[in-house]
Amino acid sequence: MKDFVFRMPTRVRFGIGITKTLGKILKEELRYSNIFIASDPGIVQAGLIDRIEEALKAEGIRFCLYDQLVPDPTIEVVDEAADVLRKSGAEAVLAVGGGSVIDTAKAMCMLQTHEGSIRDYLFGGSKSVSHAIMPLICIPTTAGTGSEMTAASVITDQQTKTKVSVTHENLIPRLAVIDPQLQAGMPPLITATTGMDALTHAIESYVSLNAGPISDAMGLAAVKQISQNLRTAAADGSNLQARANMAVASTMAGAAFMNGGLGVVHGIAQAIGAAAHVPHGTANALLLPYCMRRNVVGNLKKFKDIADAMGENTEGLTVRAAADRAVSAVFQLDQDLKVPMHLKQVGVTHEMFPKIIKATMEYRMLTTNPCQLSSDDVLSILQSAY
Ligand SMILES: [Fe+2]
């Protein structure tokens, strides 16, 4: 066995209905009395902020709400929100939302203790994260991104139309409060695509060149739990057991990829997200089986494990044939969830391919993909997924 490091610094508090006790958690466990709530208009409209505010008021915690965050946050959005936070006098940020809200909040918290614009800190920028950030507590409203468990904040640079990240251990949230009840109102397609994002984290980290035994255990458990619950959670959003299992699976997959890393699916997903504004979960759901088909030869045994975890009957099959079952099982899952399965359906055009390939080849975690891929390989994946 090779050497490995495993970290899971985010403390997780899980419970169906735990939001009701949020005020107590913030006051008695964390000793905060002045909180900045960061969210987006959709979360407010869904009535989720009302429940949070009620819980804070019950404990006399002061708070202000900033609900102007957006999907795929840009440098400008982050810098502006960081300014508002600076003037608020809050002690900590409570991010309530999906991956975009949590990623923006990480960047906002970092800019409270570091000078300049978020642009300076993005991958390849002139500054780097060097010390602690403002404390961040996350309440994920989707079961998928796992951002509440990780060190990365993905930001869109509108000038270059690329997505770049700032990644540093100090960006890891202090606490994640996970309440499946808050996720019960998520529409079927969002449930499906964010759940496929979680599956992508679990699979990519499991077959990653940087995988270790603990991230493997979490990744494989997440694959199994997602396969058993995602269809139900998407078909019947009110099924709290399926919601709870998806929420836990997403958390495990987040911890798995924070340690094991990701691969080409996320590389291409990030590139088409910037080029054609394809939502992150949709992009991963679409690309995952095509990328697996290319990657399967990189680790047949592990792809067989994935097939087994997904409930495929691999008895009597060769390892190669069993590994292929993982690919067909993911195609089947996509089909059952009715997510888009072709790039042309989500606004990607052939003209965008050169830019997408370039961005994918520059992706930080392409190095941990189980097969070393060339530009031609990425082109073949795009053509097959078109
Ligand atoms: Fe992801």
Side-chain angles (χ1 to χ4, degrees), residues 200-208 211 215-216 219 253 256-257 260-262 302:
T200 309
H201 298 149
I203 291 178
E204 289 212 282
S205 66
Y206 187 67
V207 299
S208 154
S215 65
D216 275 358
F257 93 81
L262 295 168
K302 279 198 155 178

Side-chain angles (χ1 to χ4, degrees), residues 155-202:
I155 308 295
T156 298
D157 183 343
Q158 270 184 317
Q159 277 173 18
T160 56
K161 295 234 177 324
T162 53
K163 283 190 174 190
V164 211
S165 68
V166 47
T167 304
H168 192 279
E169 206 150 308
N170 292 356
L171 264 60
I172 297 172
R174 188 161 291 193
L175 172 71
V177 179
I178 298 168
D179 184 352
Q181 231 165 41
L182 279 193
Q183 301 172 353
M186 222 195 315
L189 190 62
I190 306 285
T191 302
T193 53
T194 53
M196 287 303 292
D197 184 20
L199 182 65
T200 309
H201 298 149

Side-chain angles (χ1 to χ4, degrees), residues 188-189 192-193 196 230-231 234 332-339:
L189 190 62
T193 53
M196 287 303 292
L230 181 51
R231 288 177 180 87
Q332 183 66 57
L333 182 56
D334 267 354
Q335 214 172 337
D336 290 348
L337 293 170
K338 296 188 169 46
V339 297

Side-chain angles (χ1 to χ4, degrees), residues 197 201 266 280 284:
D197 184 20
H201 298 149
H266 270 76
H280 181 72
N284 280 321

